[in-house]
Amino acid sequence: MSIQWYRRAGFRIVDTFPNSEPMRATNSATSWGWVARLLHWGMAGLILYQLTLGFYMANFVEDLFRQFQLTQTHKSWGFVIFALAVARAGWRLASPRGPVAPAHLPRWQARAAAATHGLLYVLILVVPLSGWVYVSASPLQDLLGIENTVFGLFAMPDPWQPGNAAVANVARTVHGAGAVLMTLILALHAGAAIKHHLVDRDDVLRRMTWGR
């Protein structure tokens, strides 16, 4: 039966979402598109997983065989995150500019937010790249002939000549320090989003979640 039939019969038809429309793929002046949201939350989940896995296997796993297995998993997801970061940067350049900071936000907070986002983008690229250089230049890889594979599907090329301990040590330091800094920035980022939603009562969080 059609909606018109129900109306003629005296039923009241209520539109639950009177102003709803399909979520657009590209960004707008008031909201992020579904592509940006998918990349944002997908990468957020993978990065949190990687940070937790890296901390766990570096501090709590003593069995060498188990550590080797976890390291291969860590490498694989690191490759995925780097690929998604490149895709996200490309989409950011290709799609329209997203929402700007709320008008009520002080200038220093807007600048701090922009700087934090910029640093986070840099770390999303630097952390997996430094990890890649670290495992490639490692003398252990040179000794055992370990390939850096992605879920066992294909081997990544070595960006550095294996067996260079000095390069491996620098890359390892950058990788570890970058992961710690990323953890702090993510905590600050999440805290700011919660503040916007619960204290400021603006639409900053909704722009990247359920808002249209």
Side-chain angles (χ1 to χ4, degrees):
M1 296 181 184
S2 66
I3 292 178
Q4 288 76 12
W5 185 92
Y6 281 100
R7 283 176 174 161
R8 285 197 299 268
F11 291 95
R12 183 183 178 188
I13 307 300
V14 178
D15 189 352
T16 307
F17 302 100
N19 299 316
S20 65
E21 57 183 32
M23 186 182 297
R24 55 189 293 171
T26 56
N27 306 325
S28 70
T30 59
S31 183
W32 298 101
W34 66 261
V35 175
R37 299 187 198 201
L38 185 62
L39 288 169
H40 176 275
W41 292 109
M43 290 183 64
L46 289 176
I47 289 172
L48 289 176
Y49 169 76
Q50 282 286 82
L51 291 171
T52 304
L53 177 60
F55 180 79
Y56 169 72
M57 68 184 190
N59 295 278
F60 298 103
V61 179
E62 296 181 356
D63 181 77
L64 293 180
F65 180 72
R66 178 59 177 161
Q67 194 171 72
F68 174 80
Q69 289 180 317
L70 293 176
T71 300
Q72 303 315 303
T73 301
H74 193 67
K75 293 178 187 178
S76 297
W77 285 116
F79 173 85
V80 173
I81 290 174
F82 181 77
L84 289 176
V86 173
R88 184 174 181 178
W91 180 255
R92 186 72 179 269
L93 293 174
S95 62
R97 183 180 178 182
V100 297
H104 67 80
L105 201 66
R107 182 177 297 180
W108 71 268
Q109 288 189 23
R111 290 178 176 175
T116 300
H117 283 113
L119 181 57
L120 189 56
Y121 270 104
V122 171
L123 289 172
I124 288 173
L125 294 172
V126 168
V127 171
L129 277 176
S130 59
W132 188 11
V133 172
Y134 164 52
V135 296
S136 297
S138 172
L140 186 62
Q141 172 168 305
D142 186 40
L143 178 64
L144 301 179
I146 301 173
E147 287 189 322
N148 297 313
T149 64
V150 178
F151 301 112
L153 300 175
F154 61 90
M156 294 184 291
D158 291 328
W160 208 276
Q161 183 67 32
N164 193 322
V167 171
N169 289 334
V170 171
R172 181 179 183 180
T173 300
V174 171
H175 188 67
V180 172
L181 182 58
M182 182 183 290
T183 302
L184 297 175
I185 291 178
L186 286 175
L188 181 63
H189 181 68
I194 294 172
K195 173 185 175 295
H196 276 289
H197 189 67
L198 298 180
V199 179
D200 298 334
R201 301 287 185 176
D202 55 32
D203 64 347
V204 168
L205 182 58
R206 290 195 298 273
R207 294 172 179 178
M208 190 54 84
T209 52
W210 57 84
R212 293 181 184 276

